[in-house]
Amino acid sequence: MSKQAATLFYTATSCGAASFISAHRAGLLGTVLNAPIAGSDFLAVNSKGNVPTIVLPDGTVLNENVATLQWVADQAGGIVHHISTLYPDAKHVSRYLLATKLSWVSSEMHAICAPLFNSSLSPEVRGYVLGAYNKKLQYLNQVELEGKSYLVGNDFSVADACAYIVLSSLISASTPMSSSMWIKSPG
């Protein structure tokens, strides 16, 4: 582990919060990851302007959830005994299953909910987007989580953190959702 910590940029109401949740779960906050310097020009750090962003001690910039979540989980290896479930070792097929789930949450779930934050969206388009999102939730419930509590294996992973944040964002979007659209408990 480096003596100098990397810096995590995220917002609590964005998908970047999944990196914070995973870092917290891994016990990395304050040791491997620090908060950004107040008042810093974020576009000078990440010209895309999106979060999550992790700036490594050597100045390398990582962003996009798939990369930042994998980095967080890899840093936790050997620090916390149960942390291999965040992102399994490359020797196990579950690592690639997790990458599949995380990519699906990022590209399918997250991408389709973004238009719901546009207050000028017409009722027709909003209805279409909600219908498409309902199909994603049905798939999540009926296929990915059928009889399970987690997306991969029997413990919390970075894919679960990402799914939690994406699903929670619908509340921020003031989206009317029927109870049938929410994730069902396996119990």
Side-chain angles (χ1 to χ4, degrees):
M1 183 175 2
S2 170
K3 290 184 181 188
Q4 183 181 4
T7 303
L8 169 64
F9 294 85
Y10 77 99
T11 59
T13 57
S14 75
C15 63
S19 289
F20 175 81
I21 290 170
S22 296
H24 182 269
R25 169 99 172 164
L28 298 178
L29 297 178
T31 57
V32 175
L33 286 173
N34 286 330
I37 299 167
S40 59
D41 178 8
F42 183 64
L43 290 176
V45 172
N46 175 7
S47 58
K48 285 197 252 180
N50 66 335
V51 292
T53 295
I54 295 175
V55 180
L56 302 179
D58 69 359
T60 301
V61 175
L62 303 175
N63 66 0
E64 306 299 340
N65 266 323
V66 173
T68 61
L69 289 168
Q70 182 175 344
W71 184 89
V72 166
D74 285 345
Q75 301 317 296
I79 298 172
V80 181
H81 73 279
H82 68 278
I83 219 58
S84 64
T85 60
L86 274 179
Y87 212 107
D89 185 272
K91 295 175 186 171
H92 301 283
V93 71
S94 57
R95 181 179 184 93
Y96 306 103
L97 290 172
L98 191 141
T100 299
K101 310 298 183 188
L102 181 57
S103 296
W104 182 81
V105 169
S106 295
S107 66
E108 299 292 325
M109 298 284 296
H110 184 254
I112 197 119
C113 76
L116 298 173
F117 289 90
N118 182 347
S119 60
S120 64
L121 207 60
S122 73
E124 295 82 17
V125 173
R126 186 174 205 73
Y128 172 80
V129 171
L130 285 172
Y133 203 80
N134 186 34
K135 289 179 184 175
K136 302 295 181 190
L137 288 173
Q138 286 174 352
Y139 172 80
L140 186 62
N141 276 324
Q142 296 168 4
V143 176
E144 296 294 345
L145 291 172
E146 182 62 35
K148 301 186 312 185
S149 296
Y150 302 100
L151 286 167
V152 177
N154 297 318
D155 204 357
F156 180 84
S157 72
V158 294
D160 298 299
C162 191
Y164 170 78
I165 293 301
V166 170
L167 291 166
S168 296
S169 70
L170 292 174
I171 297 168
S172 300
S174 299
T175 302
M177 304 289 278
S178 72
S179 60
S180 66
M181 294 175 78
W182 291 103
I183 300 299
K184 294 173 180 60
S185 171

